[in-house]
Amino acid sequence: GAVVSQHPSRVICKSGTSVKIECRSLDFQATTMFWYRQFPKQSLMLMATSNEGSKATYEQGVEKDKFLINHASLTLSTLTVTSAHPEDSSFYICSAVGLGRASTDTQYFGPGTRLTVL
Amino acid sequence: AQTVTQSQPEMSVQEAETVTLSCTYDTSESDYYLFWYKQPPSRQMILVIRQEAYKQQNATENRFSVNFQKAAKSFSLKISDSQLGDAAMYFCAYRRSIQGAQKLVFGQGTRLTINP
């Protein structure tokens, strides 16, 4: 199947600092990647959609200046949480849709990153 | 806008028995995709099964099968011969079939417990 990795799996940072999370498609080229946020015992909330080489599309209510998304290549997208605050603490998940062995109709998910802001 | 509803926050089943998780959705479109994803305690989202709306035949993957009722906008997941490893959150999801419109709309999830 299609494999998506995320790095780091866990990160703890101080309030006011920035944190970058990487999402990679390992065995296929991802034309589109998605970033989700998940609070405990809740469903996934889509934050933004990124297409390779173009600006991300953010969902309503998501601050684009706070959650910077870059999709510079067909295998890598990054989410940077700028000036992190404790309320940004959450579980962040990426997913990818693309070409190659992976179905173009299906999102394949990374293992997630737990962000804790002190 | 499309919505997905999972009316069972929690379900439990005895090991080796069969359980059915419910999902309903609302859409005005005739062609779309439906998915069931599993999220075990590791929190890795795993695709369980997918269904294309234009296909009348219900999708099946080993012990997992769906009952897709298009007119009723219902998409239930049946797990046969439940195993301890099936314990997880299960999310039903909808996706439009329009080219480029790939966002998933998720239900609230159902937590499945397997009793040994």
Side-chain angles (χ1 to χ4, degrees), chain A residues 70-111:
Chain A
N70 183 278
H71 192 161
S73 78
L74 283 173
T75 59
L76 174 64
S77 176
T78 60
L79 167 68
T80 301
V81 182
T82 62
S83 187
H85 289 283
E87 57 265 32
D88 298 325
S89 298
S90 191
F91 193 68
Y92 292 88
I93 306 174
C94 73
S95 70
V97 177
L99 307 173
R101 295 192 294 146
S103 165
T104 56
D105 301 322
T106 302
Q107 285 188 30
Y108 297 92
F109 286 81

Side-chain angles (χ1 to χ4, degrees), chain A residues 54-69:
Chain A
S54 61
K55 289 185 178 181
T57 302
Y58 290 82
E59 295 299 300
Q60 193 171 9
V62 177
E63 299 176 61
K64 60 181 67 176
D65 293 331
K66 181 166 190 60
F67 298 100
L68 300 178
I69 291 171

Side-chain angles (χ1 to χ4, degrees), chain A residues 38 43 105-107 109 114, chain B residues 37 39 43-44 50 107:
Chain A
Q38 187 179 32
S43 189
D105 301 322
T106 302
Q107 285 188 30
F109 286 81
R114 180 175 299 284
Chain B
Y37 281 93
Q39 188 179 42
R43 301 191 78 171
Q44 167 75 62
R50 65 192 287 267

Side-chain angles (χ1 to χ4, degrees), chain B residues 43 65 69 73 90:
Chain B
R43 301 191 78 171
S65 62
Q69 300 289 327
K73 296 179 183 175
Y90 285 81

Side-chain angles (χ1 to χ4, degrees), chain A residues 32 34 36 38-39 42-44 46 49 59 91 93 97 103-107 109-111 114, chain B residues 33 35 37 39 42-47 50 52 89 91 95 102-104 106-109 111:
Chain A
T32 305
F34 302 85
Y36 295 87
Q38 187 179 32
F39 292 103
Q42 292 190 21
S43 189
L44 280 69
L46 180 64
T49 302
E59 295 299 300
F91 193 68
I93 306 174
V97 177
S103 165
T104 56
D105 301 322
T106 302
Q107 285 188 30
F109 286 81
R114 180 175 299 284
Chain B
Y33 297 94
F35 303 85
Y37 281 93
Q39 188 179 42
S42 68
R43 301 191 78 171
Q44 167 75 62
M45 294 285 283
I46 301 166
L47 176 66
R50 65 192 287 267
E52 293 147 351
M89 280 289 288
F91 292 100
R95 205 213 91 174
Q102 297 164 326
K103 289 197 298 187
L104 286 174
F106 283 97
Q108 305 92 321
R111 180 171 300 281

